[in-house]
Each structure stands twice: as C-alpha cells, then as structure tokens.
Amino acid sequence: MCIVGGTGALGFGLALRLGRAGVPVVIGSRDPGRAQEASTRARERVPKGTFTGLGNADAVKDAELAILSVPFRNQSETLTNLRGALREGTLLVDATVPLAAAISGKATRTLGVWQGSAAQQAQEMAPNGVRVVSAFHTVSAALLADLGHELDEDVLICGDLAEDKAKVAALVKRIEGLRPVDCGALEMARIVEQLTPLIISINVRHKARAGIKITGLADA
Amino acid sequence: MCIVGGTGALGFGLALRLGRAGVPVVIGSRDPGRAQEASTRARERVPKGTFTGLGNADAVKDAELAILSVPFRNQSETLTNLRGALREGTLLVDATVPLAAAISGKATRTLGVWQGSAAQQAQEMAPNGVRVVSAFHTVSAALLADLGHELDEDVLICGDLAEDKAKVAALVKRIEGLRPVDCGALEMARIVEQLTPLIISINVRHKARAGIKITGLADA
C-alpha cells in the first residue's frame, strides 16, 4: 500500500503505525527527495518496518490500496496529476478534510464541496475503475506518530461497496487500538469529514487530542 | 425545567431519566391532554419522579431551562407560538435535527438550514434575552426510555456562553452514564446536528443503538 502525501502529519503517522504492524509502506510525496527523507525517518523510528519513499505517481503505480492524505487545497491538483498513474482496481482511501483553513479560514469550519464531500470529489475525479472509500478523519496525527501512546478509538469508514470497506477495515485492524466502523455509503463522508473540525474545536477547549468512539456496537 | 415536545420519543426518554434523577420535569406538548397523559405514563415508570403535563406555552412560562425536542418540521412553528411565553433569561436547549425526513427525504441526510443549523435558527427566532444551547443529538431515545439500560456515552454541547453550557452540563450530569462535552460555539451545532443521521446510518448497518464518546479528554 502507499500513502499519497505520506510526508504530512497524518500520512506519516499512519506510515509509522502501519510499518510497525508489518505492512510494507510506500511513502509518496510530490517531491521524491522529501519522500525518501521521510522513509529514512520512518525507518529510524520503526527499524523493523519496510518503508520506501517515492514521488506520488510512482508510489501509486503498483498500489492495490492508496491512502490520499493531502491538504484539501491540494486534493484536486494531486488527483489530476495522478490520473495517468492510478491503475484500474486501485482502492483510493480518501482522508481529505475540506477545512476552511484551505482558504485561510478557521480550522473549526469547513468549505462546501460541490460534490457533497472531499471524498465524493475524489470519486468524481478518479479514473474509471478506481473506487473511493473515505476514512481516517478522526484520528489524531500526533497520537499516531507518538508510538508510545496506546490508541483506543474508532476509524469511521464510508463507501459504496461493502467489499471495499472490508479491505480498509482489515488495514485499520492492523493498527492496534483502532476499530473500523462502517458508517454507510460514500455520501456519508459529507458528515464524517465534518468531525475533524469538531474535534479541533473540542481539542482547543479541552487541551486534548480527542478522537471518537461509537458506543453500542456489538459487531463492529 | 421543562421539555417542549416532551411526549416525543427523545423528550419522553429525557423526562424519564431526569425524573428518576430527582429533577422535577414539566412535560410540554401542543396538546395539554397528551402532555398530561405522558406525565401519567412517566409516573407509572418512575413512581418517585415529579412529572407535570402542560401545554407548551404553560410549560415554558416559569422554566429557567427548557429543552426543545420537536421534529424539525415543527421547530419554527413551535418557536413562533412560544414567543409570548418564553421569558427573558430562560435557557433554551435545542435538540432539533434538520433531518431530510422532514420533507419525506432520508433519515441519513439533512436539510441545509439558512442560519447554519437548527440551533442557530432557534437562536434567531427566540425572544430577546433567551439564549440557545445545543445538546442531546447523539443519545438514543430508545436507550433513554429503557431504564434498565446503563448509559455510557457523551452529550455534545454547543453554545456561545460558558455559563450557559455549564448549566446544561450540570443537568446532563444528573443522568447517570452521560458525560457532557463542551464542543465550542453555537455554530458548531451545524456539525453536531449531523451526527444524528450519521448514527442512524450506523444503526442501520450494525443493527445497533449507537451513541458517541469522545476519546482523549481528561477534563470533560
């Protein structure tokens, strides 16, 4: 699997946790040099992990699953640049949040995305045969990167096909302390993407690194 | 305190739990007869509780705190009808969710509210001196009414004044197993109100009665 934008805070945190869990991780970046530098840093933190640093297009070329973890400002441009590289059948896991910070607004507010959500924009822009699942909006990048911290929270997953969500859920389960929760169709990303600014607002008030857990589930 | 729309599922569940916690509850309804009937039912379920049934206007007249728990379709009309009855200083706790079900749409979708959220619409419509706090969107009505069920989840609270939120938090804490979490300004209700359709979507998929817990808080 690969992480497009794997040098960013969330992407790098996921790379560390997945690498520690024994998942070979390709860290993608616009700048191949920065990707290589990040993979070196990752190996220092997780010596047993398998990390490779590549430019985004090379990173996704052979990926069965690619996590898209870029600022909303760059999401559209990144997907345009990857049109020729993403191959049919690749599962694209979108973690983008349309924070108003993209236009210098508040991080507790979002922008309206014409398609409904950043994930739906990704689905519209992705080449034929590339399906999008939405995930990883409520997990703190800082806590992911703090490998001494024991995670105990949920990852909310939205997508139109159960088999796609099952693949993402299996990946999530590799990370100790994270529980995948199927939240329904991809259009529900419109709501789940809003949880990031909600958590940011809670973090400000409580000086915390909050996450989310869904209560009352027997079968998640 | 009183519950406007206290004969509805959420309102009645809150009435039972608050009554059992020793809080005298005035159950309000458009139809005073139905309010009285609900208060009788509440007394049967919680014999030690103090329940009164009144028409909505009479219910709010002397209330320091009034929970507004009506379908979105009726929120605006209810507030218009209460304009003369709500007195300055009453804290209005809005639990309204702008579900698309109000116009026969899906319960996993919401309507856009011009003011941003149902709570902000309530604030715009409330008489001068009546401040609105938003709460109780993620707690299952069925679990509230099932008094044998041990609750263990959060109530997300949005409001512009810390002192108002503290009053609502104190009320929430009266109900065993519910933890109040300050989520920020009233405008954050725009996000928190979306959690109801998210939970409905999760419930459908997991055959559950889901709720929400915020992880990582020391001071909530």
Side-chain angles (χ1 to χ4, degrees):
Chain A
M1 59 84 56
C2 82
I3 303 176
V4 175
T7 58
L10 179 68
F12 190 70
L14 287 171
L16 292 179
R17 292 278 177 169
L18 288 167
R20 190 170 71 162
V23 179
V25 176
V26 178
I27 294 178
S29 171
R30 267 181 302 185
D31 176 350
R34 288 193 58 213
Q36 277 165 24
E37 183 271 328
S39 70
T40 303
R41 270 192 296 133
R43 268 190 299 273
E44 284 164 12
R45 300 277 309 279
V46 182
K48 286 181 183 167
T50 305
F51 302 98
T52 314
L54 292 172
N56 281 330
D58 286 328
V60 301
K61 227 170 40 193
D62 297 315
E64 285 185 24
L65 186 152
I67 296 175
L68 180 61
S69 175
V70 297
F72 180 58
R73 195 192 280 124
N74 305 120
Q75 189 205 27
S76 173
E77 184 192 354
T78 302
L79 286 168
T80 301
N81 293 341
L82 291 181
R83 273 200 80 80
L86 278 165
R87 66 181 173 107
E88 204 176 312
T90 297
L91 192 59
L92 190 64
V93 183
D94 184 65
T96 313
V97 181
L99 292 181
I103 53 159
S104 305
K106 290 190 181 185
T108 55
R109 294 175 173 173
T110 55
L111 298 170
V113 182
W114 191 267
Q115 295 86 342
S117 61
Q120 289 165 288
Q121 170 165 286
Q123 183 62 79
E124 186 183 277
M125 295 192 68
N128 286 340
V130 172
R131 284 197 306 272
V132 174
V133 166
S134 169
F136 297 118
H137 298 91
T138 62
V139 185
S140 153
L143 292 184
L144 285 172
D146 176 3
L147 293 171
H149 174 83
E150 284 186 25
L151 297 167
D152 181 22
E153 56 189 271
D154 290 344
V155 172
L156 308 186
I157 300 175
C158 309
D160 287 336
L161 291 188
E163 63 194 81
D164 293 344
K165 288 185 278 192
K167 281 179 195 160
V168 179
L171 187 73
V172 168
K173 280 185 190 164
R174 298 289 297 263
I175 301 178
E176 214 181 309
L178 293 186
R179 179 180 68 161
V181 175
D182 180 357
C183 289
L186 191 65
E187 67 171 34
M188 299 308 289
R190 187 195 279 241
I191 298 176
V192 175
E193 290 173 5
Q194 310 290 323
L195 294 179
T196 310
L198 179 65
I199 285 172
I200 290 170
S201 178
I202 290 172
N203 285 348
V204 168
R205 253 155 195 87
H206 297 271
K207 301 189 198 336
R209 282 173 175 161
I212 290 229
K213 252 195 140 153
I214 305 296
T215 63
L217 300 186
D219 69 338
Chain B
M1 57 84 56
C2 80
I3 303 177
V4 175
T7 59
L10 178 68
F12 190 69
L14 287 171
L16 291 179
R17 292 279 177 169
L18 288 167
R20 190 170 71 164
V23 179
V25 177
V26 178
I27 294 177
S29 171
R30 266 181 302 186
D31 176 351
R34 288 193 59 212
Q36 276 166 24
E37 183 271 330
S39 70
T40 302
R41 270 191 297 133
R43 268 190 299 272
E44 284 164 11
R45 300 276 309 278
V46 183
K48 286 181 181 166
T50 305
F51 301 99
T52 315
L54 293 173
N56 281 330
D58 287 327
V60 299
K61 227 170 40 192
D62 298 314
E64 284 185 24
L65 186 152
I67 296 176
L68 180 62
S69 175
V70 296
F72 179 59
R73 194 191 282 123
N74 306 120
Q75 189 205 28
S76 173
E77 184 192 353
T78 302
L79 287 168
T80 302
N81 292 342
L82 292 181
R83 274 200 80 80
L86 279 165
R87 65 181 174 108
E88 203 176 314
T90 296
L91 193 57
L92 189 64
V93 183
D94 184 66
T96 312
V97 181
L99 292 181
I103 54 159
S104 305
K106 290 190 180 185
T108 55
R109 294 174 172 174
T110 54
L111 298 170
V113 183
W114 191 266
Q115 295 87 343
S117 61
Q120 288 164 288
Q121 171 165 284
Q123 183 62 79
E124 186 183 277
M125 295 191 68
N128 286 340
V130 172
R131 283 197 306 271
V132 173
V133 166
S134 170
F136 297 117
H137 299 91
T138 63
V139 185
S140 153
L143 292 185
L144 285 172
D146 175 4
L147 293 172
H149 174 82
E150 283 186 26
L151 297 167
D152 181 21
E153 56 190 273
D154 290 344
V155 171
L156 308 186
I157 300 175
C158 309
D160 288 335
L161 290 189
E163 63 194 82
D164 294 343
K165 288 185 277 192
K167 280 180 196 162
V168 179
L171 188 72
V172 168
K173 280 186 192 164
R174 298 290 297 262
I175 301 178
E176 214 181 309
L178 292 187
R179 179 181 68 161
V181 175
D182 180 357
C183 289
L186 192 65
E187 67 171 34
M188 299 308 289
R190 186 195 281 241
I191 297 176
V192 175
E193 290 173 6
Q194 311 289 323
L195 295 178
T196 309
L198 179 66
I199 285 172
I200 290 170
S201 179
I202 290 172
N203 284 347
V204 168
R205 253 154 194 87
H206 297 270
K207 301 188 197 340
R209 282 173 174 160
I212 290 228
K213 251 194 141 152
I214 305 296
T215 63
L217 299 187
D219 68 338

PDB file of all heavy atoms in Angstrom, chain A residues 131-155:
ATOM      1  N   ARG A 131     -12.050   3.041  -7.230  1.00  0.00           N
ATOM      2  CA  ARG A 131     -13.139   3.365  -6.312  1.00  0.00           C
ATOM      3  C   ARG A 131     -12.606   4.025  -5.040  1.00  0.00           C
ATOM      4  O   ARG A 131     -11.500   3.733  -4.597  1.00  0.00           O
ATOM      5  CB  ARG A 131     -13.942   2.114  -5.977  1.00  0.00           C
ATOM      6  CG  ARG A 131     -14.876   1.710  -7.138  1.00  0.00           C
ATOM      7  CD  ARG A 131     -15.945   0.762  -6.670  1.00  0.00           C
ATOM      8  NE  ARG A 131     -15.359  -0.385  -6.001  1.00  0.00           N
ATOM      9  CZ  ARG A 131     -14.968  -1.505  -6.639  1.00  0.00           C
ATOM     10  NH1 ARG A 131     -15.105  -1.602  -7.930  1.00  0.00           N
ATOM     11  NH2 ARG A 131     -14.459  -2.494  -5.948  1.00  0.00           N
ATOM     12  N   VAL A 132     -13.423   4.911  -4.485  1.00  0.00           N
ATOM     13  CA  VAL A 132     -13.002   5.691  -3.326  1.00  0.00           C
ATOM     14  C   VAL A 132     -13.743   5.243  -2.075  1.00  0.00           C
ATOM     15  O   VAL A 132     -14.959   5.008  -2.109  1.00  0.00           O
ATOM     16  CB  VAL A 132     -13.241   7.198  -3.571  1.00  0.00           C
ATOM     17  CG1 VAL A 132     -12.955   8.016  -2.312  1.00  0.00           C
ATOM     18  CG2 VAL A 132     -12.383   7.693  -4.740  1.00  0.00           C
ATOM     19  N   VAL A 133     -12.997   5.116  -1.011  1.00  0.00           N
ATOM     20  CA  VAL A 133     -13.539   4.895   0.326  1.00  0.00           C
ATOM     21  C   VAL A 133     -13.011   6.038   1.177  1.00  0.00           C
ATOM     22  O   VAL A 133     -11.907   6.531   0.949  1.00  0.00           O
ATOM     23  CB  VAL A 133     -13.088   3.524   0.885  1.00  0.00           C
ATOM     24  CG1 VAL A 133     -13.340   3.416   2.379  1.00  0.00           C
ATOM     25  CG2 VAL A 133     -13.786   2.390   0.145  1.00  0.00           C
ATOM     26  N   SER A 134     -13.809   6.492   2.130  1.00  0.00           N
ATOM     27  CA  SER A 134     -13.427   7.624   2.980  1.00  0.00           C
ATOM     28  C   SER A 134     -13.089   7.113   4.381  1.00  0.00           C
ATOM     29  O   SER A 134     -13.850   6.309   4.943  1.00  0.00           O
ATOM     30  CB  SER A 134     -14.612   8.596   3.016  1.00  0.00           C
ATOM     31  OG  SER A 134     -14.425   9.577   3.991  1.00  0.00           O
ATOM     32  N   ALA A 135     -11.975   7.565   4.942  1.00  0.00           N
ATOM     33  CA  ALA A 135     -11.589   7.079   6.282  1.00  0.00           C
ATOM     34  C   ALA A 135     -10.511   7.970   6.902  1.00  0.00           C
ATOM     35  O   ALA A 135      -9.952   8.831   6.222  1.00  0.00           O
ATOM     36  CB  ALA A 135     -11.077   5.650   6.199  1.00  0.00           C
ATOM     37  N   PHE A 136     -10.257   7.757   8.184  1.00  0.00           N
ATOM     38  CA  PHE A 136      -9.127   8.361   8.925  1.00  0.00           C
ATOM     39  C   PHE A 136      -9.298   9.849   9.223  1.00  0.00           C
ATOM     40  O   PHE A 136      -8.296  10.576   9.294  1.00  0.00           O
ATOM     41  CB  PHE A 136      -7.805   8.154   8.155  1.00  0.00           C
ATOM     42  CG  PHE A 136      -7.414   6.710   7.994  1.00  0.00           C
ATOM     43  CD1 PHE A 136      -7.304   6.127   6.740  1.00  0.00           C
ATOM     44  CD2 PHE A 136      -7.152   5.923   9.115  1.00  0.00           C
ATOM     45  CE1 PHE A 136      -6.945   4.796   6.590  1.00  0.00           C
ATOM     46  CE2 PHE A 136      -6.785   4.585   8.972  1.00  0.00           C
ATOM     47  CZ  PHE A 136      -6.687   4.023   7.699  1.00  0.00           C
ATOM     48  N   HIS A 137     -10.539  10.326   9.403  1.00  0.00           N
ATOM     49  CA  HIS A 137     -10.722  11.751   9.647  1.00  0.00           C
ATOM     50  C   HIS A 137     -10.694  12.134  11.121  1.00  0.00           C
ATOM     51  O   HIS A 137     -10.610  13.304  11.455  1.00  0.00           O
ATOM     52  CB  HIS A 137     -12.050  12.225   9.046  1.00  0.00           C
ATOM     53  CG  HIS A 137     -12.095  12.044   7.563  1.00  0.00           C
ATOM     54  ND1 HIS A 137     -12.582  10.909   6.978  1.00  0.00           N
ATOM     55  CD2 HIS A 137     -11.678  12.836   6.549  1.00  0.00           C
ATOM     56  CE1 HIS A 137     -12.483  11.018   5.660  1.00  0.00           C
ATOM     57  NE2 HIS A 137     -11.935  12.171   5.377  1.00  0.00           N
ATOM     58  N   THR A 138     -10.815  11.149  11.998  1.00  0.00           N
ATOM     59  CA  THR A 138     -10.971  11.499  13.414  1.00  0.00           C
ATOM     60  C   THR A 138      -9.769  11.076  14.261  1.00  0.00           C
ATOM     61  O   THR A 138      -9.779  11.282  15.467  1.00  0.00           O
ATOM     62  CB  THR A 138     -12.246  10.846  13.996  1.00  0.00           C
ATOM     63  OG1 THR A 138     -12.123   9.426  13.915  1.00  0.00           O
ATOM     64  CG2 THR A 138     -13.479  11.293  13.230  1.00  0.00           C
ATOM     65  N   VAL A 139      -8.766  10.497  13.615  1.00  0.00           N
ATOM     66  CA  VAL A 139      -7.610  10.014  14.383  1.00  0.00           C
ATOM     67  C   VAL A 139      -6.537  11.098  14.391  1.00  0.00           C
ATOM     68  O   VAL A 139      -6.163  11.632  13.351  1.00  0.00           O
ATOM     69  CB  VAL A 139      -7.055   8.720  13.758  1.00  0.00           C
ATOM     70  CG1 VAL A 139      -5.945   8.157  14.616  1.00  0.00           C
ATOM     71  CG2 VAL A 139      -8.166   7.696  13.590  1.00  0.00           C
ATOM     72  N   SER A 140      -6.053  11.414  15.575  1.00  0.00           N
ATOM     73  CA  SER A 140      -5.058  12.472  15.734  1.00  0.00           C
ATOM     74  C   SER A 140      -3.724  12.058  15.103  1.00  0.00           C
ATOM     75  O   SER A 140      -3.166  11.002  15.409  1.00  0.00           O
ATOM     76  CB  SER A 140      -4.863  12.748  17.230  1.00  0.00           C
ATOM     77  OG  SER A 140      -3.574  13.247  17.497  1.00  0.00           O
ATOM     78  N   ALA A 141      -3.211  12.919  14.213  1.00  0.00           N
ATOM     79  CA  ALA A 141      -1.906  12.661  13.600  1.00  0.00           C
ATOM     80  C   ALA A 141      -0.827  12.578  14.675  1.00  0.00           C
ATOM     81  O   ALA A 141       0.056  11.715  14.623  1.00  0.00           O
ATOM     82  CB  ALA A 141      -1.571  13.776  12.604  1.00  0.00           C
ATOM     83  N   ALA A 142      -0.917  13.451  15.664  1.00  0.00           N
ATOM     84  CA  ALA A 142       0.108  13.491  16.716  1.00  0.00           C
ATOM     85  C   ALA A 142       0.108  12.196  17.527  1.00  0.00           C
ATOM     86  O   ALA A 142       1.173  11.673  17.882  1.00  0.00           O
ATOM     87  CB  ALA A 142      -0.127  14.696  17.623  1.00  0.00           C
ATOM     88  N   LEU A 143      -1.076  11.673  17.815  1.00  0.00           N
ATOM     89  CA  LEU A 143      -1.138  10.431  18.600  1.00  0.00           C
ATOM     90  C   LEU A 143      -0.673   9.235  17.769  1.00  0.00           C
ATOM     91  O   LEU A 143      -0.078   8.296  18.303  1.00  0.00           O
ATOM     92  CB  LEU A 143      -2.560  10.190  19.125  1.00  0.00           C
ATOM     93  CG  LEU A 143      -3.046  11.183  20.192  1.00  0.00           C
ATOM     94  CD1 LEU A 143      -4.424  10.777  20.702  1.00  0.00           C
ATOM     95  CD2 LEU A 143      -2.062  11.270  21.355  1.00  0.00           C
ATOM     96  N   LEU A 144      -0.952   9.258  16.465  1.00  0.00           N
ATOM     97  CA  LEU A 144      -0.444   8.181  15.609  1.00  0.00           C
ATOM     98  C   LEU A 144       1.082   8.159  15.633  1.00  0.00           C
ATOM     99  O   LEU A 144       1.712   7.103  15.736  1.00  0.00           O
ATOM    100  CB  LEU A 144      -0.921   8.380  14.162  1.00  0.00           C
ATOM    101  CG  LEU A 144      -2.380   8.045  13.844  1.00  0.00           C
ATOM    102  CD1 LEU A 144      -2.717   8.486  12.423  1.00  0.00           C
ATOM    103  CD2 LEU A 144      -2.680   6.564  14.014  1.00  0.00           C
ATOM    104  N   ALA A 145       1.675   9.348  15.554  1.00  0.00           N
ATOM    105  CA  ALA A 145       3.137   9.439  15.483  1.00  0.00           C
ATOM    106  C   ALA A 145       3.794   9.198  16.834  1.00  0.00           C
ATOM    107  O   ALA A 145       4.995   8.909  16.893  1.00  0.00           O
ATOM    108  CB  ALA A 145       3.535  10.819  14.948  1.00  0.00           C
ATOM    109  N   ASP A 146       3.013   9.323  17.909  1.00  0.00           N
ATOM    110  CA  ASP A 146       3.533   9.053  19.247  1.00  0.00           C
ATOM    111  C   ASP A 146       3.387   7.559  19.514  1.00  0.00           C
ATOM    112  O   ASP A 146       2.392   7.095  20.072  1.00  0.00           O
ATOM    113  CB  ASP A 146       2.739   9.878  20.271  1.00  0.00           C
ATOM    114  CG  ASP A 146       3.152   9.570  21.705  1.00  0.00           C
ATOM    115  OD1 ASP A 146       4.090   8.771  21.909  1.00  0.00           O
ATOM    116  OD2 ASP A 146       2.518  10.128  22.629  1.00  0.00           O
ATOM    117  N   LEU A 147       4.410   6.804  19.133  1.00  0.00           N
ATOM    118  CA  LEU A 147       4.280   5.334  19.135  1.00  0.00           C
ATOM    119  C   LEU A 147       4.158   4.767  20.547  1.00  0.00           C
ATOM    120  O   LEU A 147       3.743   3.625  20.729  1.00  0.00           O
ATOM    121  CB  LEU A 147       5.458   4.698  18.397  1.00  0.00           C
ATOM    122  CG  LEU A 147       5.476   4.994  16.885  1.00  0.00           C
ATOM    123  CD1 LEU A 147       6.785   4.523  16.254  1.00  0.00           C
ATOM    124  CD2 LEU A 147       4.288   4.342  16.192  1.00  0.00           C
ATOM    125  N   GLY A 148       4.487   5.565  21.550  1.00  0.00           N
ATOM    126  CA  GLY A 148       4.306   5.121  22.930  1.00  0.00           C
ATOM    127  C   GLY A 148       2.864   5.239  23.395  1.00  0.00           C
ATOM    128  O   GLY A 148       2.478   4.652  24.409  1.00  0.00           O
ATOM    129  N   HIS A 149       2.058   5.979  22.634  1.00  0.00           N
ATOM    130  CA  HIS A 149       0.659   6.182  23.025  1.00  0.00           C
ATOM    131  C   HIS A 149      -0.195   4.994  22.593  1.00  0.00           C
ATOM    132  O   HIS A 149      -0.161   4.584  21.439  1.00  0.00           O
ATOM    133  CB  HIS A 149       0.114   7.468  22.394  1.00  0.00           C
ATOM    134  CG  HIS A 149      -1.350   7.661  22.645  1.00  0.00           C
ATOM    135  ND1 HIS A 149      -1.840   8.205  23.807  1.00  0.00           N
ATOM    136  CD2 HIS A 149      -2.438   7.348  21.888  1.00  0.00           C
ATOM    137  CE1 HIS A 149      -3.165   8.228  23.752  1.00  0.00           C
ATOM    138  NE2 HIS A 149      -3.556   7.720  22.599  1.00  0.00           N
ATOM    139  N   GLU A 150      -0.956   4.438  23.533  1.00  0.00           N
ATOM    140  CA  GLU A 150      -1.865   3.333  23.195  1.00  0.00           C
ATOM    141  C   GLU A 150      -3.166   3.889  22.640  1.00  0.00           C
ATOM    142  O   GLU A 150      -3.945   4.511  23.361  1.00  0.00           O
ATOM    143  CB  GLU A 150      -2.157   2.483  24.433  1.00  0.00           C
ATOM    144  CG  GLU A 150      -1.006   1.566  24.792  1.00  0.00           C
ATOM    145  CD  GLU A 150      -1.370   0.616  25.930  1.00  0.00           C
ATOM    146  OE1 GLU A 150      -2.574   0.332  26.115  1.00  0.00           O
ATOM    147  OE2 GLU A 150      -0.447   0.169  26.626  1.00  0.00           O
ATOM    148  N   LEU A 151      -3.385   3.644  21.383  1.00  0.00           N
ATOM    149  CA  LEU A 151      -4.621   4.118  20.749  1.00  0.00           C
ATOM    150  C   LEU A 151      -5.809   3.323  21.283  1.00  0.00           C
ATOM    151  O   LEU A 151      -5.688   2.143  21.626  1.00  0.00           O
ATOM    152  CB  LEU A 151      -4.532   3.953  19.237  1.00  0.00           C
ATOM    153  CG  LEU A 151      -3.436   4.765  18.532  1.00  0.00           C
ATOM    154  CD1 LEU A 151      -3.265   4.274  17.101  1.00  0.00           C
ATOM    155  CD2 LEU A 151      -3.803   6.250  18.545  1.00  0.00           C
ATOM    156  N   ASP A 152      -6.975   3.987  21.346  1.00  0.00           N
ATOM    157  CA  ASP A 152      -8.210   3.283  21.707  1.00  0.00           C
ATOM    158  C   ASP A 152      -9.378   4.083  21.161  1.00  0.00           C
ATOM    159  O   ASP A 152     -10.058   4.801  21.889  1.00  0.00           O
ATOM    160  CB  ASP A 152      -8.315   3.131  23.229  1.00  0.00           C
ATOM    161  CG  ASP A 152      -9.577   2.384  23.630  1.00  0.00           C
ATOM    162  OD1 ASP A 152     -10.118   1.644  22.787  1.00  0.00           O
ATOM    163  OD2 ASP A 152     -10.018   2.547  24.788  1.00  0.00           O
ATOM    164  N   GLU A 153      -9.564   3.996  19.852  1.00  0.00           N
ATOM    165  CA  GLU A 153     -10.625   4.780  19.238  1.00  0.00           C
ATOM    166  C   GLU A 153     -11.050   4.154  17.920  1.00  0.00           C
ATOM    167  O   GLU A 153     -10.508   3.121  17.514  1.00  0.00           O
ATOM    168  CB  GLU A 153     -10.169   6.228  19.043  1.00  0.00           C
ATOM    169  CG  GLU A 153      -8.901   6.387  18.228  1.00  0.00           C
ATOM    170  CD  GLU A 153      -8.381   7.830  18.270  1.00  0.00           C
ATOM    171  OE1 GLU A 153      -8.793   8.608  17.420  1.00  0.00           O
ATOM    172  OE2 GLU A 153      -7.560   8.137  19.165  1.00  0.00           O
ATOM    173  N   ASP A 154     -12.008   4.796  17.270  1.00  0.00           N
ATOM    174  CA  ASP A 154     -12.591   4.229  16.053  1.00  0.00           C
ATOM    175  C   ASP A 154     -12.114   4.971  14.807  1.00  0.00           C
ATOM    176  O   ASP A 154     -11.757   6.153  14.875  1.00  0.00           O
ATOM    177  CB  ASP A 154     -14.123   4.298  16.112  1.00  0.00           C
ATOM    178  CG  ASP A 154     -14.698   3.346  17.147  1.00  0.00           C
ATOM    179  OD1 ASP A 154     -13.971   2.434  17.585  1.00  0.00           O
ATOM    180  OD2 ASP A 154     -15.877   3.514  17.516  1.00  0.00           O
ATOM    181  N   VAL A 155     -12.129   4.259  13.695  1.00  0.00           N
ATOM    182  CA  VAL A 155     -11.942   4.866  12.378  1.00  0.00           C
ATOM    183  C   VAL A 155     -13.263   4.715  11.630  1.00  0.00           C
ATOM    184  O   VAL A 155     -13.741   3.590  11.430  1.00  0.00           O
ATOM    185  CB  VAL A 155     -10.800   4.187  11.609  1.00  0.00           C
ATOM    186  CG1 VAL A 155     -10.747   4.691  10.165  1.00  0.00           C
ATOM    187  CG2 VAL A 155      -9.464   4.451  12.298  1.00  0.00           C
TER     188      VAL A 155
END
